[in-house]
Amino acid sequence: MRLQLDEQWIAKLSRLTETGMGYQHVEVHLRDGRCIRNVLALNAEVLEWSDQRPIRNDDIADILPAIERD
């Protein structure tokens, strides 16, 4: 799945550290309490994830750097 982010989320991702050149691994926290992990943010503008649950910009409560888990 892919989502073009609104300006608010682009601004937030632009302030976060990149994981690599032009991308970040993030967690997307949704307003309904769910969290989508292993999300790839490309150029701080587009989210890409493998889960088949579609989301909209309005569904997002926060986007945070991914936490490494063992």
Side-chain angles (χ1 to χ4, degrees), residues 25-36:
H25 287 135
V26 298
E27 294 182 350
V28 179
H29 296 264
L30 304 177
R31 293 186 187 281
D32 68 5
R34 293 181 292 154
C35 176
I36 301 176

Side-chain angles (χ1 to χ4, degrees), residues 36-47:
I36 301 176
R37 293 183 171 84
N38 301 319
V39 177
L40 188 61
L42 304 169
N43 297 320
E45 296 178 357
V46 175
L47 296 182

Side-chain angles (χ1 to χ4, degrees), residues 13-67:
L13 284 172
S14 295
R15 292 188 303 270
L16 298 178
T17 304
E18 289 185 327
T19 304
M21 194 70 140
Y23 72 93
Q24 297 155 299
H25 287 135
V26 298
E27 294 182 350
V28 179
H29 296 264
L30 304 177
R31 293 186 187 281
D32 68 5
R34 293 181 292 154
C35 176
I36 301 176
R37 293 183 171 84
N38 301 319
V39 177
L40 188 61
L42 304 169
N43 297 320
E45 296 178 357
V46 175
L47 296 182
E48 194 171 273
W49 67 100
S50 60
D51 193 318
Q52 293 302 309
R53 292 179 285 184
I55 61 171
R56 300 180 325 250
N57 281 282
D58 292 344
D59 297 329
I60 301 172
D62 205 359
I63 301 175
L64 301 171
I67 299 170

